[in-house]
Amino acid sequence: MKELYDYKVTAAGRVNVIGEHVDYCGGKVFPAALSMKNTVYVRANGTDKINLSWTTLPDKVSLDINNLERYKSLKYGNYQAGSALTWQRAGHKVLGCDMLMDCTVPFGSGLSSSAAIEVSTIAALCAVAGETCDPVEAALKAQQAEREFAGVNCGIMDQYASACGKKGHAMLLDCKTLDCEYVPVVLGDYAFVIANCNKPHSLVESKYNERRAQTEEALEVLQKHTDITCLADLSAEEFARHAGALSPVIERRARHVVHECVRVREAAQAMQTGDMVLLGKLLNASHESLKELYEVTGKELDALAAAAQSHPACAGSRMTGGGFGGCTISLVKKDCVEDFKAHVAKAYRDATGYTADFYEADISDGITVEKL
Ligand code: GLA
């Protein structure tokens, strides 16, 4: 079946090591692309239709390339339609083609299955059109598709990581300038373990957009006192000086952003100097801040992070991604990973009734294109 296609194109899911809810505030983030990914098998079909099918779904969907706006409310295929539309609007050739989708990023896990689908769709369209895909442009257009077709006013982190990831490296990405420094993920005796809390999450879009609006409100007030262009420009000292101008809730949101930006810098340094104890402490502090100040964790993620943090071989643990459900990332002594998982699974089940899933973080490339 797959051999009937001309190209195999992939884009990655991602895990964010640290730097949560700061990308849309112009901050630096520290994600890595995962080997869990979306694969598109694609061939041109000489028509005006993009025909979609899935390895894991019986559905078949046909998109008219001259009318891509009309697919916003599709259950399956809206991300592909949105990505094709934003790519087309940017002046790129979008040809009729058959696409078979195979996604190994668990949906709703906070590991960016949607970014993987969007970015791989754009890269697949490039392949059939004979164009070389600029991964940064693909990421920007995929982000626009997420905003317009999924209603999430997201930052650039997920799509950038999905497109531009590099095997064995995390990305210290400046979301204001899109400068990216690749940092080798060398964890010594430790490994990253990802755990999914498996709580079906709702209201993610509206809460996410609300948080983003609150940071914009903070910026507007603080700009009356400072000459910053984004919240991430503010040092912790400057923030402390002007925080009194903000209402209590908005002050908490902004305080998270300012201090999370400091932690990202320290975490990247800790990784570079091999200080796993410090890296772990920063992960814990990030979770605490997302829980108490930014309020995007929830009972399940808090229970999962607490279960991880209570294991003696765990240097630190935090939620990763947008929050309200999804995954944690933990830094765990390599030779204790199995014991860690058993401990966390039990403590988490006892606390919430849910069964967690675990994934080893295999850090991989972003977009790949293979001629079949
Ligand atoms: C989601 C968004 C990202 C980012 C994270 C939180 O994954 O898509 O842009 O804001 O949440 O860090």
Side-chain angles (χ1 to χ4, degrees), residues 14-15 17 30-34 161 164-172 180-186 192 271-272 361-366:
R14 66 97 191 90
V15 65
V17 177
F30 201 32
L34 294 172
C164 305
K166 187 165 154 188
K167 193 174 165 55
H169 291 73
M171 290 166 261
L172 186 57
C180 177
E181 186 189 334
Y182 289 92
V183 179
V185 176
V186 180
F192 282 133
M271 180 108 78
Q272 278 156 329
D362 192 0
I363 297 172
S364 195
D365 286 326

Side-chain angles (χ1 to χ4, degrees), residues 14 16 19-24 112 154-158 208 321-322:
R14 66 97 191 90
N16 188 19
E20 220 62 87
H21 286 280
V22 300
D23 61 346
Y24 51 80
S112 296
C154 65
I156 189 61
M157 171 171 74
D158 302 351
Y208 183 93

Side-chain angles (χ1 to χ4, degrees), residues 14 16 18-25 29 110-112 114-115 143 146 152-159 204 208 212 256 260 290 294 296 318-323:
R14 66 97 191 90
N16 188 19
I18 197 163
E20 220 62 87
H21 286 280
V22 300
D23 61 346
Y24 51 80
C25 301
V29 293
L111 301 177
S112 296
S114 60
Q143 176 197 24
E146 177 89 21
V152 182
N153 196 10
C154 65
I156 189 61
M157 171 171 74
D158 302 351
Q159 290 78 14
V204 178
Y208 183 93
R212 181 163 182 162
H256 163 74
E260 183 78 352
L290 289 157
Y294 219 69
V296 291
R318 60 179 287 275
M319 59 150 269
T320 182

Side-chain angles (χ1 to χ4, degrees), residues 72 85-86 89 143-152:
K72 272 196 187 161
L85 178 63
T86 55
R89 276 203 216 126
Q143 176 197 24
Q144 205 175 324
E146 177 89 21
R147 287 183 174 174
E148 288 182 29
F149 273 63
V152 182

